[in-house]
Amino acid sequence: MRIGVIADDFTGASDIALTLAEAGMRVCQFIGVPKNAANSDLDAGVVALKSRTAPADDAIRDSLAACDWLLAQGAEQIVFKVCSTFDSTANGNIGPVLDSLSDRLGAEGVIVCPAFPENGRSVYQGHLFVQDKLLSESGMQDHPLTPMRDADLRRVLAAQSSKPVGHVGALTVMRGAAAIRATLPMEGYAIVDAIRDEDLFEIGKAAKGALLLCGGSGIALGLPANFDIAPVEPSWSAIEGPGAVLSGSCSRATRQQVEVYKEQAPHREITASEAVNGTVNAHELAGWAMVQAVPPLIYSSAKPDVVKAAQDTFGTDRAAVAIETLFADLSAELAAKGARRIVVAGGETSGAAVKGLRAQALEIGPRLAAGVPVLCLVHAHPIALALKSGNFGDQDFFADALAKMEQSA
């Protein structure tokens, strides 16, 4: 294994796995820290954790365990994969996890860059932009679990870390890898600007031989070339059969996707009250879903004011846990009843679905949209999965993903 990735959620894991696979690497996505050794022919292993919103101590423990396993598989470089919107809070866990990983590896001058211009994420003058808006004005300021109200990544990370946080500006990045390397600090971290995908390739060159990096999936664009690996299109064998769409993301993009797909397919909305009070159950929902002629939509994607009201009524944790538990149970019921194509929107919802499916490893197929591959859960009856981060994909993503799962590539 050349590259080991520690991802703080499941959609982010499949996102960076796709980036590495399209760059020519043999990649496997693992669900949690594996108990056994990986296949020796893998170029990259991506360990998907559910740590993004976990308490810092838990996130550190799980991330260090993943790091140790990846190192035992021969990984020469570790990437701590976080969301491209750097999802955290003032007392979040990105800084503590990064501190622990850098201490474990003895890494200094660590590059930190969540940018991915193809997906509308760029870093300029140390500030994170979503399309043409500052992160703090992009809608992320209303995220129910990790509201991002400061776009200056230097301040965000410095508030969480005991190590110094520096900055490598866009003009330096545009001068190329040698200039980036020369500007990296001797200790701590460097928020590195990137406004073009070309910048990420130069950052990748600058990271050759680095023990640790931190960023979104774009940070991996230039890394495989450091190991003399050339790009190749991932293959896919068609998977046909009943399908369903599960959506728990409350992002603007997903809410639009929900509205578009509701015009095409049967749909059921799950409210926080129904999930908490148990007035809906996974067995009944799955039974309803499996008799529909078109893959149905089951969703809890609500506007920020509705989410806030539910949190005020039931408590943030209680509402979130109830909905995630329902989606986990629903995924298991759908698979047991013969579902073979499942599209999931939202990082927490994807984590719940994967848990319900008892997945341990996923094969990486071609892209469904920027940052979203089709995945195969292999067992007696393979299941095609799409684990979509809330803000990814165009308005027709749900229907397009289900269709592409049935097409070999």
Side-chain angles (χ1 to χ4, degrees):
M1 187 181 294
R2 306 295 186 83
I3 296 175
V5 179
I6 303 163
D8 67 358
D9 85 338
F10 293 90
T11 58
S14 58
D15 183 0
I16 196 167
L18 173 64
T19 302
L20 293 168
E22 288 185 328
M25 285 191 145
R26 291 162 293 183
V27 187
C28 184
Q29 178 176 332
F30 301 97
I31 309 304
V33 182
K35 293 181 173 59
N36 301 315
N39 290 337
S40 59
D41 64 346
L42 282 182
D43 296 310
V46 179
V47 177
L49 303 177
K50 195 174 182 292
S51 59
R52 180 168 299 169
T53 58
D57 288 346
D58 293 345
I60 290 169
R61 180 197 64 226
D62 293 346
S63 299
L64 288 177
C67 180
D68 290 343
W69 182 84
L70 290 164
L71 293 174
Q73 311 313 305
E76 301 170 37
Q77 187 170 64
I78 299 294
V79 179
F80 176 33
K81 198 283 176 191
V82 299
C83 186
S84 61
T85 46
F86 217 67
D87 290 19
S88 191
T89 60
N91 58 350
N93 64 42
I94 291 178
V97 169
L98 195 52
D99 286 353
S100 297
L101 290 173
S102 60
D103 288 345
R104 177 65 57 91
L105 296 167
E108 296 289 354
V110 176
I111 291 171
V112 179
C113 181
F116 203 164
E118 181 183 8
N119 285 334
R121 313 294 190 268
S122 57
V123 180
Y124 179 66
Q125 301 291 33
H127 289 65
L128 181 55
F129 288 80
V130 177
Q131 303 295 349
D132 62 344
K133 297 185 182 300
L134 285 165
L135 174 67
S136 51
E137 301 172 4
S138 67
M140 281 300 299
Q141 71 270 25
D142 297 321
H143 193 286
L145 299 177
T146 54
M148 298 302 294
R149 301 191 175 108
D150 189 352
D152 190 332
L153 299 184
R154 296 163 294 189
R155 286 196 297 255
V156 173
L157 186 54
Q160 300 179 20
S161 172
S162 61
K163 298 178 183 289
V165 179
H167 175 232
V168 179
L171 294 179
T172 298
V173 173
M174 290 179 185
R175 290 200 294 269
I180 297 170
R181 277 195 297 268
T183 313
L184 291 174
M186 296 298 294
E187 58 180 338
Y189 311 116
I191 302 296
V192 182
D193 286 356
I195 59 177
R196 312 167 301 168
D197 284 353
E198 292 90 336
D199 297 335
L200 291 167
F201 283 100
E202 292 301 318
I203 291 169
K205 291 178 186 177
K208 185 174 184 178
L211 297 173
L212 176 66
L213 299 99
C214 175
S217 61
I219 198 84
L221 281 174
L223 300 182
N226 293 334
F227 300 97
D228 297 322
I229 293 175
V232 65
E233 178 71 17
S235 61
W236 178 255
S237 296
I239 295 179
E240 300 177 344
V245 178
L246 311 180
S247 178
S249 169
C250 298
S251 73
R252 291 175 181 175
T254 296
R255 296 201 312 270
Q256 182 183 34
Q257 290 160 351
V258 165
E259 292 305 313
V260 169
Y261 196 64
K262 282 167 62 176
E263 297 295 323
Q264 307 171 38
H267 48 89
R268 294 274 295 270
E269 181 177 11
I270 308 302
T271 66
S273 175
E274 290 173 326
V276 170
N277 295 326
T279 54
V280 294
N281 68 80
H283 180 76
E284 184 273 327
L285 284 171
W288 169 81
M290 292 300 292
V291 299
Q292 305 304 317
V294 176
L297 166 68
I298 300 171
Y299 68 101
S300 65
S301 303
K303 294 180 179 179
D305 59 330
V306 176
V307 174
K308 179 66 165 57
Q311 291 175 334
D312 291 343
T313 301
F314 301 108
T316 301
D317 290 343
R318 186 182 180 197
V321 168
I323 291 172
E324 289 174 29
T325 300
L326 178 60
F327 276 120
D329 294 343
L330 176 57
S331 300
E333 288 279 353
L334 287 169
K337 293 179 183 298
R340 293 294 172 259
R341 296 174 294 146
I342 302 177
V343 177
V344 189
E348 300 301 318
T349 312
S350 293
V354 168
K355 178 181 178 182
L357 293 169
R358 297 185 179 181
Q360 296 181 340
L362 300 171
E363 294 182 355
I364 311 300
R367 70 166 57 197
L368 298 170
V372 190
V374 60
L375 305 166
C376 182
L377 172 58
V378 180
H379 54 48
H381 301 286
I383 297 176
L385 293 173
L387 307 179
K388 185 192 85 72
S389 179
N391 286 304
F392 285 8
D394 64 20
Q395 65 178 15
D396 297 313
F397 177 83
F398 293 156
D400 289 348
L402 288 164
K404 289 177 182 177
M405 289 172 174
E406 297 182 300
Q407 302 166 7
S408 295

